Coordinates of all heavy atoms in Angstrom, one line a residue:
Chain A
H241 N -138.8 -52.5 -4.0 CA -139.0 -53.9 -4.4 C -138.7 -54.2 -5.8 O -138.1 -55.2 -6.2 CB -140.5 -54.3 -4.1 CG -141.0 -55.5 -4.8 ND1 -142.0 -55.4 -5.7 CD2 -140.6 -56.7 -4.8 CE1 -142.2 -56.6 -6.2 NE2 -141.3 -57.4 -5.7
G244 N -135.1 -54.5 -6.6 CA -134.5 -55.8 -6.3 C -133.5 -55.7 -5.1 O -132.8 -54.8 -4.9
Chain B
F11 N -128.5 -58.0 -8.5 CA -129.4 -58.3 -7.3 C -128.5 -58.7 -6.2 O -128.0 -59.8 -6.2 CB -130.3 -59.5 -7.7 CG -131.4 -59.1 -8.7 CD1 -131.3 -59.7 -10.0 CD2 -132.4 -58.3 -8.4 CE1 -132.3 -59.4 -10.9 CE2 -133.3 -57.9 -9.4 CZ -133.3 -58.5 -10.6
K14 N -125.2 -60.7 -6.8 CA -125.4 -61.4 -8.1 C -125.6 -60.5 -9.3 O -126.4 -59.6 -9.2 CB -126.6 -62.3 -7.9 CG -126.9 -63.1 -9.1 CD -128.0 -64.1 -8.7 CE -128.1 -65.1 -9.8 NZ -128.9 -66.3 -9.3
A16 N -127.2 -60.2 -12.6 CA -128.1 -61.0 -13.5 C -128.0 -60.6 -15.0 O -128.1 -61.4 -15.8 CB -129.6 -60.7 -13.0
V17 N -127.7 -59.4 -15.2 CA -127.4 -58.9 -16.6 C -126.2 -58.1 -16.6 O -126.0 -57.2 -15.7 CB -128.6 -58.0 -17.1 CG1 -128.3 -57.4 -18.4 CG2 -129.9 -58.9 -17.2
G34 N -131.4 -68.2 -24.6 CA -130.5 -68.4 -23.4 C -131.0 -69.4 -22.5 O -132.2 -69.6 -22.4
P35 N -130.1 -70.0 -21.7 CA -130.6 -71.0 -20.7 C -131.4 -70.4 -19.7 O -131.5 -69.2 -19.6 CB -129.3 -71.6 -20.2 CG -128.1 -70.9 -20.8 CD -128.7 -69.9 -21.7
N36 N -132.1 -71.2 -18.8 CA -132.8 -70.7 -17.7 C -131.9 -69.8 -16.8 O -130.8 -70.2 -16.5 CB -133.4 -71.8 -16.9 CG -134.5 -72.6 -17.6 OD1 -134.5 -73.8 -17.7 ND2 -135.4 -71.9 -18.2
G37 N -132.5 -68.7 -16.4 CA -131.7 -67.9 -15.5 C -130.6 -67.1 -16.2 O -129.8 -66.5 -15.5
A38 N -130.6 -67.0 -17.5 CA -129.6 -66.3 -18.2 C -129.7 -64.8 -18.1 O -128.8 -64.0 -18.2 CB -129.6 -66.7 -19.7
G39 N -130.9 -64.3 -17.8 CA -131.2 -62.9 -17.7 C -132.0 -62.3 -18.8 O -132.1 -61.1 -19.0
K40 N -132.7 -63.2 -19.5 CA -133.6 -62.7 -20.6 C -134.8 -61.8 -20.0 O -135.0 -60.7 -20.5 CB -134.2 -63.9 -21.4 CG -133.2 -64.8 -22.0 CD -133.8 -65.9 -22.8 CE -134.6 -66.9 -21.9 NZ -133.8 -67.6 -21.0
S41 N -135.5 -62.4 -19.1 CA -136.6 -61.7 -18.5 C -136.2 -60.4 -17.8 O -136.8 -59.4 -17.9 CB -137.4 -62.6 -17.6 OG -137.8 -63.7 -18.2
T42 N -135.1 -60.5 -17.1 CA -134.6 -59.3 -16.4 C -134.3 -58.2 -17.4 O -134.6 -57.0 -17.2 CB -133.3 -59.7 -15.6 OG1 -133.6 -60.8 -14.8 CG2 -132.8 -58.5 -14.8
T43 N -133.6 -58.5 -18.6 CA -133.3 -57.5 -19.6 C -134.6 -56.9 -20.1 O -134.8 -55.7 -20.2 CB -132.6 -58.2 -20.7 OG1 -131.4 -58.8 -20.2 CG2 -132.1 -57.1 -21.8
R45 N -137.5 -56.7 -18.6 CA -138.1 -55.9 -17.5 C -137.5 -54.5 -17.5 O -138.1 -53.5 -17.2 CB -138.0 -56.6 -16.2 CG -138.9 -57.8 -16.1 CD -138.9 -58.4 -14.7 NE -139.8 -59.5 -14.7 CZ -139.5 -60.7 -14.3 NH1 -138.3 -61.0 -13.8 NH2 -140.4 -61.6 -14.3
E81 N -143.5 -62.4 -18.6 CA -143.4 -63.8 -18.4 C -144.5 -64.3 -17.6 O -145.0 -63.7 -16.7 CB -142.1 -64.1 -17.6 CG -141.6 -65.5 -17.7 CD -140.2 -65.6 -17.1 OE1 -139.8 -64.8 -16.2 OE2 -139.4 -66.5 -17.6
D157 N -142.2 -61.9 -23.8 CA -141.4 -62.8 -23.0 C -142.1 -64.2 -23.1 O -143.1 -64.4 -22.5 CB -141.3 -62.4 -21.5 CG -140.1 -63.0 -20.8 OD1 -139.5 -63.9 -21.4 OD2 -139.8 -62.5 -19.8
E158 N -141.5 -65.1 -23.9 CA -142.0 -66.4 -24.2 C -143.5 -66.4 -24.7 O -144.4 -66.9 -24.0 CB -141.8 -67.3 -23.0 CG -140.4 -67.4 -22.6 CD -140.1 -68.5 -21.6 OE1 -140.8 -69.4 -21.5 OE2 -139.0 -68.3 -20.9
H189 N -137.6 -70.6 -25.8 CA -136.7 -71.7 -25.7 C -136.9 -72.7 -26.8 O -136.3 -73.8 -26.9 CB -137.0 -72.5 -24.4 CG -136.6 -71.7 -23.1 ND1 -135.3 -71.4 -22.9 CD2 -137.4 -71.2 -22.1 CE1 -135.3 -70.7 -21.7 NE2 -136.5 -70.5 -21.3
Ligands
ATP401 N1 -136.0 -59.9 -8.0 C1 -134.9 -60.7 -8.1 N2 -134.1 -60.8 -7.0 C2 -133.0 -61.6 -7.1 N3 -132.6 -62.3 -8.1 C3 -133.3 -62.2 -9.2 C4 -134.5 -61.4 -9.3 N4 -135.0 -61.5 -10.5 C5 -134.2 -62.3 -11.2 N5 -133.2 -62.7 -10.5 C6 -132.1 -63.6 -10.9 O1 -131.5 -63.1 -12.1 C7 -131.2 -64.2 -13.0 C8 -131.8 -64.0 -14.3 O2 -133.2 -64.2 -14.2 P1 -134.2 -64.1 -15.5 O3 -135.6 -64.3 -15.0 O4 -133.9 -62.9 -16.2 O5 -133.8 -65.4 -16.3 P2 -134.4 -65.9 -17.7 O6 -133.3 -65.8 -18.7 O7 -135.6 -65.2 -18.0 O8 -134.7 -67.4 -17.4 P3 -135.9 -68.3 -17.9 O9 -135.5 -68.9 -19.2 O10 -135.9 -69.4 -16.9 O11 -137.1 -67.5 -18.0 C9 -131.6 -65.5 -12.3 O12 -130.5 -66.0 -11.7 C10 -132.5 -65.0 -11.2 O13 -132.4 -65.8 -10.1

Side-chain angles (χ1 to χ4, degrees):
Chain A
H241 159 244
Chain B
F11 291 111
K14 178 172 193 166
V17 173
N36 292 131
K40 304 181 292 295
S41 301
T42 306
T43 307
R45 288 184 179 128
E81 195 170 30
D157 203 345
E158 303 192 24
H189 289 296

